Amino acid sequence: MSTPQEQRRVRAASLAELRQQGRVTVQLDGHTVLLIAEEDRIYAIDNRCPHMGFPLDRGTVCDGILTCHWHHARFDLASGGTFDQWADDVRAFPAGVEEDDVWVDLALRVDPQEHQRHRLRDGLERNISLVIAKSAIALLDRPEDSGSIEGAIEPFRAGIDFGTRYRRGGWGQGLTILTCMMALLPHLERDDRARALYQGLAAVAGDSDGAAPRFAVRPLPGGDEEMTTLKRWLRQFVEVRDEEGVERCIATAVRSGAGPQELADMLFAAATDHRYIQAGHVLDFTNKALEALDIAGWGDGLDQQVLGSLATGYANASRMEESNAWRNPVDLVHILEQAFHGLPSALDAGRRWREGKAAVDARALLVPILLDENPQAIADALLKALQHGVSLVELAGCVSYAAALRIARFHTSNEFSDWDTALHTFTFANAVQVGLRRAPSVELLRGVFDAAMSVYLDRFLNVPPARLPEPSDGTGDPAALLQELPTLLDRQQQVNQAGTLVARYLHGGGDERRLLAVLGGLLLREDRDFHTIQTMEAAFRQYGLLRGSPEGVNVLVAAARYLAAHAPTVRAQGQRYQIAQRLHRGERLFDAA
């Protein structure tokens, strides 16, 4: 890491030459330095505008202020400080005169990493994407952990802290995107990791821009509240949509010392008291908030701040009991309520079953029923699977896979907006499965049944079903196929082709790690919407559980088809990132720089 240095003075130019020309550009130990003689003072600054690299020797000086002629960024010549926060400070070098020569001190006076931490804050506060990109690149490019996942934790934590403080609506899409990007980081090429972090942080800034800050509710003044009581109160407050009551219960539970599993159990129970609330977003957001704390660290008040930010979503979420689709022509809510009454006995029977018999092959038995058209049969089959020793997580995995197949078999004759219907079911089912791995409970198990009914409601999206690629469709050279994928996604309506290519790659023995890295890179190449990022992160997670199986192939087929359906798009984020990257590398963006 670069740190402040001892004095490093070098001769820069003759005083006579500088006085005669007014300004001179010189190369000093790899620095392009602009010398300016203004009245009786000598100034030395980096010649590249820190905004986008335009040569400052083309600028105008007036009253000690240098204005860049490209975007009119203004800089104090003496300190290099900018008057325009989107531009950043330009580096200024102490300059002096000895005899007839101008001398410049090239020693580093500030800690670049600390400067970038401040600039990240500026970018988040003012929603300046280019500033965020520069900070993300610089903070991940430390010699000791260049491009590493560990190096991303500090700026990630800064983004989580900012987003949960400065968005009145609490946890939302921006914070979810940021956490999704952190989950994708291990699958990405090193050069793509800063890009992912940048897109996540920019999403937080955009989601918070113009919003009122969020003022957290303090815990109850006592200190002896039991978790069972707080959990009961929380669910009561959610029932009557009392946002402040919800947050105070959460804050008190955190303050009481409840661990991550206890807190998750309390939140998951409240999130599944009603059916498929807010099309699954509330449960997915809860998972992401918990995952964010796993990464950023529990304690130091951040856990209360993060989990408290969920309260708005819990209190104001739509409930499918109020939806016609869940009530008519078949009352799915009634079917579910009847099934929930049977959960304790089914789980008890399952425990006895496991003591003496092998569990059934749940996926082979359940998936065809889940994809069929009889909701009562679906609920009965899920109960029967529990009775026959199928675990909660395994049951959830069957529903997640069925939801992924809805996307893999999505017919392109459907309306484009119908892709979102299928993805909501898939990301919700994935969230339930992830939640059950963290904190298994009968309450959260209800979410498996909710997801199964949503899979049922999505059945018309597979009429007729798109054909799943088979190993018999041929393979081909994996390297050539992988090279073809980006070109394929440069064209519209390549949904089926993209799914087939991914299947051929995997069936042909291609390296799954390379495929995931390429898919992740293609996700980052576009100005992606929230739902596409959600889908890809859930698909990568599901593939991690199913790798090496035909089901795993189908999950990535679903991911590729969804990605292709939403490509190509505008690529402004990528262009902005490339500018920041070239500036960080010291490249010349202009011939005269």
Side-chain angles (χ1 to χ4, degrees), residues 379-592:
D380 293 342
L382 293 174
L383 283 172
K384 187 175 181 180
L386 291 171
Q387 294 166 356
H388 287 181
V390 175
S391 71
L392 278 63
V393 172
E394 187 180 5
L395 192 74
C398 294
V399 179
S400 295
Y401 178 62
L405 286 180
R406 289 290 189 218
I407 300 174
R409 293 176 171 179
F410 185 96
H411 201 283
T412 53
S413 63
N414 290 301
E415 285 193 68
F416 185 75
S417 61
D418 285 332
W419 282 102
D420 288 351
T421 303
L423 89 88
H424 283 138
T425 304
F426 174 54
T427 54
F428 174 70
N430 173 71
V432 173
Q433 185 180 357
V434 171
L436 284 169
R437 293 171 70 89
R438 178 187 291 271
S441 69
V442 177
E443 290 96 345
L444 183 53
L445 179 57
R446 296 174 300 183
V448 176
F449 286 72
D450 288 353
M453 290 302 145
S454 192
V455 170
Y456 158 76
L457 286 171
D458 294 345
R459 65 196 183 282
F460 293 112
L461 303 180
N462 295 159
V463 178
R467 179 177 172 275
L468 290 174
E470 299 287 346
S472 59
D473 292 337
T475 54
D477 176 33
L481 289 169
L482 208 55
Q483 191 173 4
E484 182 184 346
L485 188 57
T487 304
L488 193 66
L489 267 62
D490 279 333
R491 305 194 300 271
Q492 292 182 336
Q493 300 178 346
Q494 302 300 303
V495 173
N496 295 327
Q497 294 88 333
T500 299
L501 188 150
V502 164
R504 290 177 61 201
Y505 177 86
L506 290 172
H507 290 317
D511 184 350
E512 63 180 27
R513 292 171 299 178
R514 289 288 304 124
L515 176 60
L516 292 173
V518 169
L519 287 171
L522 291 172
L523 174 71
L524 299 172
R525 185 176 67 166
E526 315 274 343
D527 289 5
R528 297 294 184 186
D529 67 349
F530 166 59
H531 288 143
T532 306
I533 295 166
Q534 258 195 316
T535 301
M536 293 300 291
E537 189 271 337
F540 275 39
R541 191 181 295 265
Q542 287 297 315
Y543 180 75
L545 300 171
L546 296 169
R547 58 167 38 96
S549 68
E551 291 82 4
V553 173
N554 289 336
V555 167
L556 288 190
V557 166
R561 296 183 84 244
Y562 194 96
L563 197 63
H566 295 77
T569 66
V570 177
R571 298 178 182 176
Q573 282 187 324
Q575 182 192 26
R576 195 173 296 119
Y577 179 83
Q578 288 170 359
I579 291 170
Q581 192 175 51
R582 292 185 65 189
L583 288 170
H584 179 73
R585 291 172 177 170
E587 297 179 15
R588 291 190 174 188
L589 276 70
F590 303 93
D591 291 338

Side-chain angles (χ1 to χ4, degrees), residues 174-193:
L175 289 163
T176 301
I177 289 173
L178 175 58
T179 309
C180 284
M181 289 301 183
M182 282 296 288
L184 291 172
L185 238 60
H187 303 290
L188 300 176
E189 300 287 359
R190 275 185 171 265
D191 289 346
D192 279 335
R193 290 174 180 172

